[in-house]
Amino acid sequence: MLKVYRPVNAKGRRTMRKIDLRSDTVTKPTDAMIRAMAEAEVGDDVYREDPTVNRLEQIAAERLGKEAALFVTSGTQGNQVAVLTHCVNGDEVIAEAESHIFYYEGGAMSALAGVQTRTLAGVRGALRGEDVEKAIRSTTNIHFPRTKLICLENTHNRAGGAVVTPEQMKSVYDIGQKHGIPVHLDGARLFNAAASLGVDVRELSQYTTTIQICLSKGLSAPVGSILAGSKDFIEEARWWRKKLGGGLRQVGYLAAPGILALTEMTERLVEDHDRAKQLAEGFRKLSLEVEPVETNIVLVKTDSINQTAVDFLKLLAEQGVFAVDFDEYVIRFTTHRHISEDDIQHVLEVVEALITSVSAS
Ligand SMILES: Cc1ncc(COP(=O)(O)O)c(C=O)c1O
């Protein structure tokens, strides 16, 4: 029988405490965000008449050190609009083998932009400049497609929230510059990378041609991403966004919390990183193998306890703890604004009790 702590509600009944570590996307808007939504000044953004969207795009461009920015519905839309804007059918895109844009976007690069992807294995998610240079196609051989884009991801999700350093990004960007190939960064969690390194986000974004950042993950906005780049690029991207049905009208109601995401929520990400480290340390004390933790993602192996990720997740869910499977024997836990130190302690107690229970059975 599991002996895990179960709080008692006002009526004296045991209640299931729910701790959701599936993703930082589960974060709800702050009270200030909800107030900002209610009070937002809006207009028709397809006519570029929404002052709140215009302000968000201006703030985002400045924050990322780019000329212009575009509010898009999601990280996936931002990445795909970028590929559509940079490439034409038949072009080749270099991407890390486990990058989100390749692994988790439903094959959209090939389905929508008609490009093919050349994947390269990274080092904890980071592509190496020399590998990228070798993969760039010669333009003189008529058998080859043309390499038209290099994609990076920072932090790297499947590498466990790994941070790609400015030096690693520069090594790829310099190769891109040398060959006239733009670099698009999937920076869904770029502010986590900057917080972990203790640098301004521009230290990283300077080594990109275009960049997508998510407002709706650890930054807690309910919806949306930003795509940033040169003025000309963003004009063309606006056209692609419209073609994809992403031209929205009084969308300032959603841009308003996005402004607070960028101006008030980036500093606190270090708290999520501390909780992730606390969780990883606790797992290690329970003799579980854990990938190095740099930001808010913890990857834990379950083979040592003879449990597949899916089976162990079922046991966790019965105790009110939720995470996701990342591989047959790997579980991903993601910390965020709604996870307290006490929640982490509780998760560790649940995991300890479950390990005892499965090893006894
Ligand atoms: C690294 C990365 N890129 C892009 C995305 C896509 O974002 P969205 O879910 O807003 O489409 C995600 C979502 O989890 C992500 O982790």
Side-chain angles (χ1 to χ4, degrees), residues 219-231:
L219 302 183
S220 297
V223 175
S225 275
I226 291 290
L227 178 62
S230 70
K231 267 198 180 116

Side-chain angles (χ1 to χ4, degrees), residues 25 74-76 79 100 105 153 155 157 186 188-189 212 214 216-217 225:
T25 56
S74 66
T76 302
N79 284 338
H100 194 282
E105 296 188 8
E153 183 174 316
T155 63
N157 179 26
D186 176 352
R189 297 187 180 84
Q212 179 277 119
C214 286
S216 62
K217 297 198 163 59
S225 275

Side-chain angles (χ1 to χ4, degrees), residues 286-307:
L286 298 174
S287 302
L288 290 169
E289 199 182 324
V290 187
E291 291 290 325
V293 172
E294 293 176 76
T295 56
N296 65 331
I297 292 177
V298 182
L299 298 186
V300 186
K301 297 206 173 134
T302 57
D303 43 355
S304 65
I305 51 169
N306 290 321
Q307 291 283 304

